[in-house]
Amino acid sequence: MSLFKPTRRAFLKAGTAATALVGLAPAVLRQAAAQEADLSPYKSAKIDWQQTSGETITVAVIPASYFDNLIAIAPQFKTLTGIDVRFEKIPPAQIRQKSVIDLTSKTGIYATHAADPMYYSLYAANKWVEPLDSYVSNKSLTDADWFKFDDIIPAWRNADSIDGKLYGVPYDGEVTIQVYRKDLYDAKGLKPADDLTTFVSNAAALNTPNDRVWGTALRGVAGAGQNMYIYPSIFREFGGQWFKGGKLTVNGPEAEAALAWYVELMHKSAPTAAANWNWPDIADAFSQGTLASYIDAHSSASVVNNPEKSKVIGKVAYARWPKGPSGKRVTSIWNWGFPINAALPEKKKKATWLFIQWAASAETQARTAHRFAGPTKRSGVNRTSIWRDPDYVKLMNGFGHNFVEATMESLQSDTDVDWRPRVPQWPAIGDTMATAIQSALSGQATVKAALDDAQRRVEPMMRG
Amino acid sequence: MTAPGASAGEASGDLGRVLAQRERKFAMSLLAPAFLALLATTTFPLMFLIWTSTYRMDLAMPFADGFIGLENYRILLADERFWSSLLVSLIYTGSTVTLQVTLGLALALLVMDMKRGQGWFRLIAILPVVLSPAVVGMIWRTFMLAPEFGVVDYLAINAGLGSKNWLGDPLLAMISVIVIHTWQWTPFAFMVLLASLASLPEDIYEAARLDRATAWQRFRRITLPLLRPAIVMVVIMRTMVALTAFAAIFTVTAGGPGTATEILNLYAYRKSFTELSIGYGSALAVALLIVTIVISGLLFALRRAK
């Protein structure tokens, strides 16, 4: 027999009390934080922040620290505007599909979502999202002098525009750079590669699988956002052009040289397992000391500098992409931006714009980055001015030698809007290319056969 | 139900008919909600799928959308990747079902003769079946098959085979997904066959032993024919599931490397939801439906034969 016999009533009472405590505690805390937060930097904007007070909007984001920081200070937005924001976290692999389904069925579930810049063509062709220029220029909605739209990194603004029209406002972005082990490079007297040939020879020189150190790794797993995230840079560096005479071309001598370079590098100087790796796997391996270098997003620096997991802190340094045979360096123009769902009623669209303006403003960017109270700081702020802010630069340089310089120079000189083919058919093209790259890597097809097959599959996709 | 014989009058016959009719109506009204729900959740989507497959519906090119009749099917018949994914589906289904039935039967015969611990064995054997295929896929991909780090690779290295890229090589990847599916579902075949083995009459075996039949003869001439209905049932059920498998392959290889493990189901999914060609994707799904119906029909016919 048990000594304690809870009655139904006692159980219900205790349960209710516990629920109330658990449910209310964060709310109370958040309320307090919001009241304490100084809203005057926002109130200096000459717009009526309260104009759509009482609206509720749902925002889809991915589970990532840069969005967690935004969610953490979102109560300040509620106090400022009276707009309730519901955040929904959807993993990156599903957020595209979920938002496309929402947009195509015109249900207006997500007022805005963290959008893949490659999808704006598709969105614009279907008129699923609003052109944002009229919102930026509308004086009752945006204070141009306060918002300073031009301060947002130009490469990312261009990435979120189609035919000169803006469809999304960048919130957080990244560029791909070389990440390497300075200690290993120094021991062999190597310098970070300035061209792709040197990158291969550096990787080969440091590739000692018997000591469980491999030369390098690039994303190997198939996917429009995985291997097709790295390959376009190589393709462009080898002088490839997506549109030859107005026709989308994915094969040809430049493409073959680029893919062959990638396949050979992966076979000779990368761990076999890298064929199935995405960036977290690469960053994990690097932080365990098993990789001498990799090329991937600069934001992976926070993983290789995680004090709880990384064994290589203090040994990491950075450099821009090595130059290709064409003399070009090509980095990604990736950013998570916010568009406005065209299926929303007018008032909700305005409320959504206020949210976007708040999230993309220099003040919020700073409050979620170097001025954020929590442990994780953002490395992808959208403002040129913040990248020049000494406080931010100091924080970022903690990631290792040359981090800020490599990132800033890449952003200024190495970005290329035609990094990937920006057409509505991108989801299909990206997937087809991803499959082709993987077939070549796994030896299912030769480089030429894989690319020619991709070309055959891509052509009917482009026909109207 | 009608009144029996001439002893009952006309009136009672009428009454019986009325009652039967009422009962039918009552039964129908009880059935209606479930029937309607079933109609709305299965038949309607199926009709909608077939209807969609006669349209061009391309989210990337909304201006080109419209009714195109059987055009999607014409494209499908000329689509190399359709045929290769169908072939992958058939290889996958054929090999997993054969392996499951053979291994399941062997295990069942073995366990039948176990004097002690049969209960425990059954309990442990059933565990993979209750796991979600997606979870099984994740476990195999990260914990078992990862080169250098996975359990299987560790065993392979120690056995002197060297590290293999289990999911990165077209042939090994195909073998891997077949092994994973077999690992998860053999217990199902094992349980069903064990149950039918236990119900076989003992006296026939006794008679066979008196006639000095060897173990192999007993198995060939008695056990197999008596188990035939159970085996055919297992084959039919497993075939239908294997043809429409999705979650495990999706999480383990996502059809890769390249298209080496891309079953028809996965190709239809990719066309519809990654490439956003809803019309053509629907045509692929209908093709898969037809293949599944034809193969199941053949198997059912085989069951009735003899």
Side-chain angles (χ1 to χ4, degrees):
Chain A
M1 287 301 289
S2 71
L3 294 171
F4 175 65
K5 271 196 186 163
T7 62
R8 193 180 146 90
R9 186 177 297 259
F11 179 77
L12 283 176
K13 258 194 211 160
T16 317
T19 315
L21 265 179
V22 171
L24 276 177
V28 170
L29 286 177
R30 254 186 263 132
Q31 199 72 34
Q35 276 162 1
E36 274 168 33
D38 179 16
L39 294 178
S40 56
Y42 295 104
K43 286 182 175 151
S44 69
K46 292 184 187 64
I47 53 164
D48 175 15
W49 284 105
Q50 292 277 344
Q51 55 186 303
T52 62
S53 179
E55 281 290 339
T56 304
I57 58 171
T58 304
V59 177
V61 295
I62 62 160
S65 61
Y66 39 85
F67 282 121
D68 289 341
N69 293 5
L70 185 72
I71 296 171
I73 68 161
Q76 298 178 12
F77 176 71
K78 160 88 175 158
T79 319
L80 178 70
T81 62
I83 300 166
D84 267 309
V85 185
R86 244 192 83 240
F87 286 96
E88 200 170 302
K89 286 193 206 174
I90 307 171
Q94 283 91 43
I95 195 166
R96 295 169 181 85
Q97 284 174 9
K98 274 204 148 187
S99 25
V100 164
I101 290 169
D102 176 38
L103 291 168
T104 184
S105 56
K106 299 194 171 29
T107 40
I109 295 172
Y110 305 121
T112 183
H113 64 274
D116 178 340
M118 293 307 297
Y119 274 60
Y120 288 117
S121 264
L122 173 68
Y123 291 176
N126 287 284
K127 299 191 173 63
W128 284 337
V129 297
E130 294 273 291
L132 296 179
D133 302 276
S134 57
Y135 291 82
V136 179
S137 60
N138 186 336
K139 287 202 167 51
S140 70
L141 283 172
T142 315
D143 179 350
D145 294 331
W146 178 83
F147 186 51
K148 293 197 185 70
F149 182 65
D150 291 342
D151 184 30
I152 295 176
I153 290 167
W156 298 346
R157 273 189 279 136
N158 293 337
D160 295 4
S161 306
I162 301 295
D163 297 331
K165 275 193 198 160
L166 181 74
Y167 286 97
V169 179
Y171 166 75
D172 191 283
E174 63 194 30
V175 284
T176 41
I177 54 175
Q178 285 184 66
V179 184
Y180 65 97
R181 284 276 298 280
K182 202 168 183 323
D183 55 333
L184 297 180
Y185 271 56
D186 287 348
K188 293 234 172 184
L190 300 173
K191 292 222 160 15
D194 194 50
D195 54 53
L196 290 176
T197 321
T198 319
F199 189 77
V200 172
S201 61
N202 280 357
L206 292 167
N207 193 47
T208 46
N210 291 335
D211 305 333
R212 295 190 69 75
V213 176
W214 283 267
T216 192
L218 302 177
R219 296 186 188 189
V221 72
Q226 283 80 40
N227 55 5
M228 197 43 193
Y229 176 84
I230 288 297
Y231 170 77
S233 291
I234 308 167
F235 172 73
R236 297 282 294 153
E237 291 203 352
F238 270 88
Q241 279 179 321
W242 297 113
F243 288 93
K244 272 186 190 156
K247 182 185 160 211
L248 180 67
T249 312
V250 298
N251 60 356
E254 295 92 359
E256 282 166 30
L259 187 53
W261 181 86
Y262 166 84
V263 169
E264 197 182 326
L265 179 75
M266 290 291 278
H267 281 172
K268 285 195 177 151
S269 305
T272 326
N276 307 320
W277 281 358
N278 192 15
W279 75 267
D281 313 287
I282 296 174
D284 277 344
F286 186 86
S287 68
Q288 294 310 304
T290 49
L291 290 180
S293 70
Y294 66 86
I295 300 179
D296 212 296
H298 80 291
S299 50
S300 60
S302 62
V303 178
V304 303
N305 278 290
N306 181 342
E308 285 168 15
K309 286 183 188 160
S310 178
K311 296 177 180 164
V312 297
I313 296 176
K315 300 171 183 169
V316 191
Y318 308 84
R320 291 156 71 185
W321 260 92
K323 263 188 236 158
S326 70
K328 261 193 300 201
R329 303 173 205 269
V330 180
T331 186
S332 82
I333 49 167
W334 179 267
N335 69 87
W336 289 111
F338 287 126
I340 297 181
N341 190 334
L344 297 177
E346 275 315 303
K347 204 174 167 205
K348 262 206 164 67
K349 283 181 189 166
K350 285 183 182 167
T352 310
W353 172 253
L354 290 176
F355 168 77
I356 294 172
Q357 186 179 186
W358 171 79
S361 69
E363 184 62 25
T364 305
Q365 291 283 316
R367 286 186 184 193
T368 50
H370 51 299
R371 279 162 55 200
F372 187 68
T376 48
K377 322 285 184 185
R378 290 175 47 202
S379 63
V381 292
N382 70 4
R383 298 268 166 174
T384 314
S385 59
I386 297 182
W387 278 99
R388 299 213 174 92
D389 182 329
D391 288 343
Y392 186 67
V393 168
K394 198 174 142 227
L395 178 80
M396 288 296 110
N397 269 330
F399 281 148
H401 173 70
N402 202 29
F403 181 72
V404 174
E405 293 85 341
T407 306
M408 277 315 278
E409 279 169 18
S410 299
L411 272 175
Q412 277 158 5
S413 333
D414 304 344
T415 54
D416 177 347
V417 176
D418 294 318
W419 166 57
R420 302 202 278 199
R422 290 168 9 111
V423 286
Q425 294 86 346
W426 162 254
I429 294 167
D431 195 61
T432 307
M433 284 308 293
T435 306
I437 296 166
Q438 203 189 32
S439 318
L441 180 62
S442 69
Q444 198 193 12
T446 63
V447 164
K448 184 169 166 33
L451 289 168
D452 289 347
D453 183 55
Q455 180 67 26
R456 262 199 302 281
R457 301 190 60 77
V458 160
E459 270 170 24
M461 289 171 192
M462 300 301 292
R463 276 199 290 272
Chain B
M1 203 198 292
T2 45
S7 59
E10 274 284 297
S12 80
D14 275 353
L15 186 68
R17 216 175 298 132
V18 168
L19 279 177
Q21 210 165 16
R22 263 192 211 158
E23 198 163 334
R24 243 196 325 269
K25 267 188 190 158
F26 183 60
M28 254 149 72
S29 65
L30 284 182
L31 183 69
F35 185 68
L36 286 177
L38 216 60
L39 218 62
T41 54
T42 60
T43 315
F44 172 71
L46 198 65
M47 293 300 148
F48 190 71
L49 178 81
I50 294 169
W51 181 73
T52 310
S53 74
T54 61
Y55 275 73
R56 171 162 184 165
M57 201 181 282
D58 240 331
L59 295 187
M61 278 180 284
F63 49 84
D65 291 355
F67 181 77
I68 51 166
L70 294 176
E71 182 66 14
N72 278 331
Y73 293 94
R74 202 189 56 74
I75 301 173
L76 182 144
L77 291 176
D79 183 354
E80 256 173 61
R81 195 152 152 197
F82 162 73
W83 293 109
S84 73
S85 63
L86 181 62
L87 182 67
V88 172
S89 274
L90 294 178
I91 293 173
Y92 180 74
T93 306
S95 49
T96 51
V97 172
T98 315
L99 281 170
Q100 283 175 56
V101 172
T102 327
L103 291 176
L105 185 59
L107 273 176
L109 289 167
L110 211 69
V111 170
M112 232 359 234
D113 291 334
M114 265 169 84
K115 296 279 176 296
R116 291 165 65 189
Q118 222 194 78
W120 280 106
F121 193 88
R122 274 192 304 213
L123 191 71
I124 293 167
I126 202 76
L127 284 178
V129 177
V130 298
L131 291 171
S132 141
V135 174
V136 168
M138 298 297 271
I139 294 173
W140 276 85
R141 190 179 65 141
T142 55
F143 186 64
M144 307 292 282
L145 293 173
E148 311 285 343
F149 309 99
V151 173
V152 171
D153 204 49
Y154 176 79
L155 294 175
I157 292 170
N158 282 337
L161 295 171
S163 175
K164 294 262 186 282
N165 193 8
W166 299 99
L167 300 175
D169 176 85
L171 182 66
L172 284 178
M174 189 68 201
I175 294 173
S176 299
V177 292
I178 289 172
V179 167
I180 293 170
H181 190 92
T182 308
W183 173 80
Q184 181 170 25
W185 292 108
T186 298
F188 176 83
F190 158 71
M191 295 299 278
V192 173
L193 296 177
L194 185 65
S196 4
L197 264 184
S199 67
L200 295 189
E202 191 55 36
D203 45 357
I204 306 181
Y205 286 97
E206 219 175 298
R209 267 193 295 271
L210 290 175
D211 289 341
R212 308 241 165 138
T214 61
W216 174 249
Q217 282 173 327
R218 268 177 278 147
F219 174 71
R220 270 292 279 124
R221 303 293 171 101
I222 303 175
T223 313
L224 265 190
L226 286 176
L227 274 186
R228 193 168 168 279
I231 293 175
V232 173
M233 214 44 228
V234 169
V235 169
I236 292 174
M237 290 178 78
R238 296 317 310 160
T239 303
M240 285 188 199
V241 173
L243 275 173
T244 55
F246 182 80
I249 294 197
F250 184 70
T251 47
V252 175
T253 63
T259 53
T261 58
E262 189 177 70
I263 51 172
L264 187 49
N265 212 357
L266 214 55
Y267 183 40
Y269 167 83
R270 266 171 127 167
K271 265 286 167 199
S272 312
F273 297 107
T274 309
E275 300 192 8
L276 305 174
S277 298
I278 311 284
Y280 188 60
S282 304
L284 284 170
V286 172
L288 175 64
L289 182 73
I290 293 170
V291 170
T292 312
I293 289 175
V294 167
I295 292 181
S296 317
L298 281 176
L299 289 171
F300 271 109
L302 200 77
R303 183 175 168 236
R304 266 185 241 107
K306 285 190 195 170

